[in-house]
Amino acid sequence: MELRHMRYFVAVAEERNFTRAAERLCIAQPPLSRQIQQLEETLGVQLFERNSRPLKLTNSGRFFYSHAVQLLAQTAELESMTRRVGNIERSLSLGFVGSTLYGMLPKIIRRFRDENTTVELSLHEMTTMDQISALKDGRIDIGFGRIRHEDANIRGVVLREERMIVALPVGHPLSVGKPVLALRDLINETLIIFPNAPRPSYADQVLSAFQERTLKPARIYEVRELQIALGLVAAGEGISVVPSSVHGLKRDDVVYRELDDPTLVSPIIMSMRMLDESTDIHEMLELIYRLYEEERIPYIFGELLCYPS
Ligand code: BEZ
């Protein structure tokens, strides 16, 4: 029995008529009838009731039909999956910290996929520190994080320094006064920081910003992640210092204010294995710089700070 027999049988069973089935299959009726006869002989059972008009399946026919349909669907899936595997030449695994999703990461992923259709891209949310071990184990090829690290086997490229901004509950006194705030303006507030673990994290960059200026917020409230910090800000539980790309995450109950100090920044770092010189890594870096130029986002190239015109 061949797949062709099953396809012919399914067409006849669904059309309940040899003429219509032959038309659907684009073959003449006599060879179709012969194929069905052959199939019944091979199986040793009758699949259609004799002389029924329209054609009716026997019990064996109904059983065979339900399994033949499944098998044909599986065959079609196998064909398309095999074609896909054949077209995929390389794979690239990306690790990223959640907050980079509010920045350029979605655009980078979309553009990379469009421009590199034969590369299978997979994405894994993980902390910067987990990215380092995942890079060493070969579980990821590129990591996007925010923490500077010193590891002899890992190369970190600072892509840009993202300004920090303040998230305030709508109607908060600090949101109605000055359009630009200083860190000092925040010291009487509850500062909501994230992520609380593992450390060091973005939370420590915010805390260091206060410490370096010998400032101390009235209260510190540590939470697991950015979304929770913003929810608590919305609830009036405190304020939070967030990367400026979070501004794109519009909420009716949260307002954002810029900070006056341009040195209040959090880096976005691309990490890779020290000896990895693969084309995909180069493609990715080149694409990111190109997107920064297109979107007019200041970035760091080598040691240089570049301002797209
Ligand atoms: C960015 O926002 O600049 C960015 C985010 C993720 C990966 C690379 C760049």
Side-chain angles (χ1 to χ4, degrees):
M1 178 173 48
E2 293 170 22
L3 278 176
R4 170 175 37 102
H5 288 111
M6 275 187 233
R7 264 206 314 276
Y8 289 179
F9 166 76
V10 166
V12 177
E14 286 177 354
E15 297 296 339
R16 294 167 167 240
N17 177 294
F18 274 93
T19 314
R20 280 199 303 272
E23 276 167 17
R24 172 169 148 183
L25 294 163
C26 301
I27 58 169
Q29 191 185 322
L32 177 60
S33 303
R34 271 200 303 280
Q35 296 286 323
I36 299 294
Q37 229 175 354
Q38 245 181 30
L39 180 63
E40 287 183 323
E41 280 164 20
T42 309
L43 294 170
V45 293
Q46 222 173 283
L47 296 169
F48 294 99
E49 285 180 12
R50 289 279 168 261
N51 306 321
S52 56
R53 295 282 179 279
L55 280 175
K56 267 198 192 139
L57 290 167
T58 59
N59 272 346
S60 312
R62 272 194 295 278
F63 175 82
F64 188 69
Y65 173 78
S66 65
H67 288 269
V69 167
Q70 280 178 33
L71 223 96
L72 289 174
Q74 280 171 7
T75 311
E77 198 183 330
L78 179 65
E79 274 174 24
S80 82
M81 291 296 285
T82 308
R83 244 178 249 125
R84 216 172 102 69
V85 169
N87 287 333
I88 290 167
E89 289 164 5
R90 303 187 301 274
S91 66
L92 188 70
S93 293
L94 297 189
F96 63 93
V97 292
S99 67
T100 57
L101 278 175
Y102 301 103
M104 293 292 288
L105 190 56
K107 272 199 180 122
I108 292 168
I109 294 166
R110 273 208 302 273
R111 184 72 72 86
F112 188 88
R113 283 213 164 107
D114 284 351
E115 293 181 4
N116 301 275
T117 47
T118 59
V119 179
E120 169 110 318
L121 197 63
S122 60
L123 303 169
H124 311 270
E125 196 243 323
M126 55 176 79
T127 66
T128 310
M129 291 308 155
D130 285 344
Q131 288 173 21
I132 306 301
S133 43
L135 280 165
K136 288 185 188 169
D137 298 350
R139 281 178 285 129
I140 60 168
D141 305 296
I142 293 177
F144 292 116
R146 289 191 178 271
I147 307 298
R148 287 189 166 80
H149 52 78
E150 298 287 333
D151 190 301
N153 299 308
I154 304 296
R155 183 158 71 100
V157 175
V158 178
L159 297 170
R160 67 181 176 112
E161 299 273 12
E162 189 176 4
R163 291 283 295 264
M164 292 175 177
I165 58 171
V166 189
L168 302 153
V170 72
H172 188 285
L174 286 173
S175 74
V176 288
K178 299 184 258 180
V180 177
L181 300 175
L183 219 49
R184 174 176 302 280
D185 297 329
L186 313 180
I187 55 172
N188 295 322
E189 308 295 327
T190 297
L191 177 68
I192 304 173
I193 56 169
F194 59 89
N196 55 357
R199 305 300 271 268
S201 73
Y202 173 77
D204 298 292
Q205 293 174 357
V206 174
L207 291 177
S208 305
F210 280 89
Q211 275 154 18
E212 282 160 14
R213 289 160 185 79
T214 56
L215 299 172
K216 198 165 181 288
R219 287 162 300 278
I220 306 269
Y221 188 166
E222 297 188 8
V223 297
R224 203 161 38 80
E225 56 174 64
L226 169 63
Q227 287 290 355
I228 297 174
L230 286 182
L232 290 172
V233 169
E237 291 296 299
I239 57 130
S240 191
V241 174
V242 298
S244 62
S245 50
V246 173
H247 191 258
L249 194 68
K250 302 266 183 293
R251 292 187 61 132
D252 295 345
D253 41 14
V254 174
V255 292
Y256 300 98
R257 288 290 172 265
E258 284 177 18
L259 283 162
D260 62 354
D261 185 341
T263 65
L264 288 170
V265 289
S266 168
I268 297 182
I269 301 167
M270 174 167 153
S271 302
M272 62 221 92
R273 284 178 287 276
M274 190 60 90
L275 300 177
D276 193 344
E277 288 288 339
S278 65
T279 13
D280 294 330
I281 303 269
H282 289 290
E283 291 274 333
M284 181 61 82
L285 257 176
E286 188 270 329
L287 181 153
I288 292 171
Y289 293 133
R290 203 161 10 106
L291 276 174
Y292 285 154
E293 287 284 339
E294 281 176 30
E295 304 276 327
R296 305 222 158 89
I297 295 174
Y299 60 95
I300 299 170
F301 186 76
E303 302 282 290
L304 281 181
L305 183 56
C306 305
Y307 291 95
S309 47

